[in-house]
């Protein structure tokens, strides 16, 4: 086997994404399947309304949350495959030079589907561990009859087996496309990239050229532009934190269960921390030599940190703003489609600026803690070891 299962040990982010997606989807879809078994017992008009509302909101929550996490997992999987190929070009080039065809090498990338399998399996198991409490909290109003918890094996097929197979096939196909280079190109580590277009320098009215952008500022811009996938991950971390945590407060205000609010908050914080950790770690590792050279030329640790990390701050704040707007739009849509406030006696939903500000302050604190931790890590990068690398 060319690619070994232990080579996927670093794909912890994919495991977390799959775990959260399947955890949410299993809870709501299993509940909907079990509720279908008691549908004939419901005759009261109010109970029928509550039943339709619960099923519809469960389907929407599963589709929105699961769909967003699946798309993010796809981006993350493709990023890791590309990163693996870029960091193992020489070995892969030697294999091609020895006569291994692209399809045989690409077939070994099926192991990148293992984090999907383990993540979905743990998410499925975690959902069943939480479901007894979830069933109790969702039925404590007495409107709907008690719903016995059943194990529905069809969900294993759709939420565990099929996703694992689909992501394994995607990994093989994508790696096959990325390996369509000559053995010499891979061994030398050359890439066919388009040169960056630089804007011509502007001139003053007297004909003299305006001074170029300072070096550190230009380095900060190029660091951010070098990998779009990392920009997406950092943006997504802020987006998840805002959307999930702010929504958890909205759920409690509108009469939702405390368990659901805590679950949403836990998932949002977990996704944000995991994605930030993976993205910032990759930024530091990918620019280790650049940081070392900056230190050789006398730049301070603070200047090195600013050049590598501070360019992502506007992206995180934009992600938080979009995540807040997204959760507000989603809640408004669900309230208008599935909820009748006059029947249920719920308050009118409006955006809570105070809650959003509190959540924003907590996110800024979390983000700045990450930046401080990695700024300290930059200070401890061994200069001699970096300079001796090939």
């Amino acid at each position: 086997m060319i690619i070994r299962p232990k080579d996927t040990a670093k794909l912890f982010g994919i495991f977390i994404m799959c775990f959260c997606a399947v955890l949410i989807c299993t809870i709501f879809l299993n509940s909907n399947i079990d509720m279908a078994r008691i549908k004939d017992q419901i005759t009261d008009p109010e109970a029928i309304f509550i039943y339709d509302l619960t099923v519809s909101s469960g389907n929407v929550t599963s589709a929105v949350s699961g769909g967003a996490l699946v798309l993010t997992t796809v981006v993350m999987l493709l990023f890791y495959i590309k990163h693996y190929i870029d960091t193992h070009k020489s070995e892969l080039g030697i294999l091609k030079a020895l006569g291994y065809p692209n399809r045989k090498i690409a077939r070994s990338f099926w192991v990148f589907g293992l984090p999907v399998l383990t993540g979905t399996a743990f998410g499925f198991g975690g959902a069943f561990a939480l479901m007894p409490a979830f069933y109790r909290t969702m039925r404590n109003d007495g409107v709907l009859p008690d719903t016995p918890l059943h194990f529905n094996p069809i969900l294993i097929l759709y939420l565990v087996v099929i996703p694992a197979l689909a992501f394994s096939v995607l990994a093989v196909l994508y790696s096959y496309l990325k390996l369509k280079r000559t053995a010499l190109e891979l061994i030398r580590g050359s890439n066919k990239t388009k040169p960056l277009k630089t804007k011509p320098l502007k001139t003053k009215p007297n004909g003299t050229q305006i001074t170029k952008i300072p070096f550190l500022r230009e380095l900060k811009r190029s660091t951010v532009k070098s990998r779009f996938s990392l920009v997406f991950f950092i943006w997504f971390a802020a987006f998840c934190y805002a959307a999930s945590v702010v929504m958890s407060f909205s759920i409690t205000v509108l009469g939702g269960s405390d368990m659901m609010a805590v679950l949403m908050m836990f998932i949002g914080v977990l996704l944000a921390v995991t994605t930030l950790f993976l993205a910032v770690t990759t930024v530091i590792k990918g620019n280790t030599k650049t940081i070392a050279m900056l230190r050789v030329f006398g730049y301070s640790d603070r200047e090195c940190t600013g050049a590598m990390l501070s360019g992502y701050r506007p992206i995180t704040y934009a992600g938080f703003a979009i995540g807040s707007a997204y959760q507000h739009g989603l809640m408004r849509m669900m309230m208008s489609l599935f909820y009748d406030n006059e029947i249920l006696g719920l308050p009118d939903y409006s955006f809570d600026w105070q809650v959003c500000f509190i959540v924003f302050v907590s996110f800024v604190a979390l983000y700045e803690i990450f930046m401080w931790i990695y700024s300290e890590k930059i200070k401890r990068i061994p200069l001699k070891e970096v300079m001796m690398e090939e």
Side-chain angles (χ1 to χ4, degrees):
M1 181 180 289
I2 299 172
I3 314 297
R4 295 165 294 180
K6 71 177 184 179
D7 293 323
T8 65
K10 297 181 179 179
L11 308 188
F12 185 67
I14 292 179
F15 172 87
I16 294 295
M17 292 289 175
C18 295
F19 173 83
C20 293
V22 174
L23 180 71
I24 295 174
C25 293
T26 302
I27 288 176
F28 284 102
L29 294 180
N30 197 84
S31 176
N32 286 356
I33 295 174
D34 286 346
M35 287 182 63
R37 293 187 171 97
I38 64 168
K39 185 177 182 180
D40 295 338
Q41 304 175 22
I42 304 174
T43 56
D44 183 71
E46 180 182 358
I48 293 175
F49 175 79
I50 297 296
Y51 172 86
D52 293 336
L53 170 65
T54 304
V55 172
S56 299
S57 59
N59 289 334
V60 170
T61 303
S62 300
V64 173
S65 302
L69 292 174
V70 165
L71 291 176
T72 307
T73 304
V74 170
V75 175
M76 191 172 287
L77 179 68
L78 300 184
F79 167 79
Y80 275 120
I81 293 174
K82 182 179 183 300
H83 180 72
Y84 182 89
I85 292 176
D86 290 341
T87 54
H88 294 79
K89 289 176 182 177
S90 298
E91 298 94 319
L92 296 174
I94 292 173
L95 289 175
K96 293 188 68 171
L98 292 174
Y100 283 82
N102 287 342
R103 62 180 179 274
K104 185 171 183 178
I105 300 175
R107 280 201 300 267
S108 296
F109 280 82
W110 71 267
V111 298
F112 280 81
L114 289 179
V116 178
L117 177 62
T118 55
T120 54
F122 274 87
F124 191 84
F128 270 90
L130 294 174
M131 254 186 281
F134 177 79
Y135 275 42
R136 287 194 299 269
T137 57
M138 293 298 289
R139 309 292 183 265
N140 59 5
D141 53 9
V143 177
L144 295 176
D146 291 337
T147 307
L149 175 60
H150 294 86
F151 176 76
N152 298 290
I154 189 65
L155 292 178
I156 295 182
L157 176 64
Y158 287 111
L159 298 180
V160 178
V161 177
I162 291 179
L165 292 176
F167 276 95
S168 295
V169 171
L170 177 63
V172 171
L173 294 177
Y174 183 72
S175 61
Y176 179 80
L177 294 177
K178 298 300 294 183
L179 288 169
K180 283 190 173 181
R181 281 180 280 178
T182 64
L184 188 59
E185 285 178 339
L186 289 171
I187 294 173
R188 288 181 174 179
S190 60
N191 286 319
K192 296 179 180 180
T193 57
K194 296 180 180 179
L196 296 175
K197 296 182 179 180
T198 57
K199 296 181 180 180
L201 294 177
K202 297 180 180 179
T203 57
K204 296 180 179 180
N206 59 6
T208 60
Q209 290 183 332
I210 298 176
T211 306
K212 291 183 178 180
I213 299 175
F215 169 70
L216 288 179
R217 190 187 304 174
E218 182 64 24
L219 178 61
K220 180 167 62 176
R221 291 183 180 180
S222 63
T223 301
V224 174
K225 293 178 180 179
S226 61
R227 289 185 179 179
F228 172 78
S229 54
L230 294 179
V231 173
F232 172 79
F233 292 151
I234 292 178
W235 174 89
F236 183 74
F239 177 89
C240 283
Y241 192 94
S244 299
V245 179
V246 175
M247 187 179 293
S248 67
F249 285 97
S250 301
I251 290 174
T252 57
V253 171
L254 295 175
S257 66
D258 293 337
M259 180 182 175
M260 191 61 205
V262 172
L263 183 62
M264 291 292 295
M265 184 179 295
F266 169 76
I267 289 176
V269 174
L270 180 63
L271 289 176
V273 171
T274 302
T275 312
L276 273 178
F277 170 77
L278 295 172
V280 178
T281 302
T282 306
V283 171
I284 298 300
K285 288 184 177 180
N287 293 278
T288 303
K289 291 186 178 180
T290 302
I291 295 170
M293 293 303 300
L294 289 175
R295 291 168 63 186
V296 167
F297 284 105
Y299 288 96
S300 66
D301 293 325
R302 183 177 181 181
E303 289 173 322
C304 293
T305 303
M308 294 297 104
L309 300 177
S310 62
Y312 294 99
R313 279 191 176 89
I315 297 168
T316 58
Y317 298 151
F320 188 92
I322 296 173
S324 301
Y326 165 81
Q327 74 82 27
H328 176 66
L330 181 61
M331 291 297 294
R332 294 285 296 182
M333 181 190 73
M334 294 184 66
M335 291 293 295
S336 61
L337 292 178
F338 305 121
Y339 289 79
D340 190 330
N341 292 355
E342 295 181 358
I343 296 177
L344 300 177
L346 298 177
D348 292 333
Y349 174 74
S350 59
F351 190 79
D352 194 330
W353 290 99
Q354 183 178 359
V355 168
C356 184
F357 176 76
I358 295 173
V359 175
F360 176 72
V361 171
S362 67
F363 174 75
V364 171
L366 174 66
Y367 182 79
E368 293 304 326
I369 288 173
F370 258 90
M371 295 300 104
W372 177 80
I373 291 173
Y374 279 93
S375 65
E376 293 297 314
K377 197 169 184 178
I378 286 176
K379 295 178 185 179
R380 294 194 296 268
I381 292 178
L383 185 60
K384 181 178 179 181
E385 179 181 337
V386 172
M387 300 306 295
M388 291 179 64
E389 291 180 356
E390 295 182 356

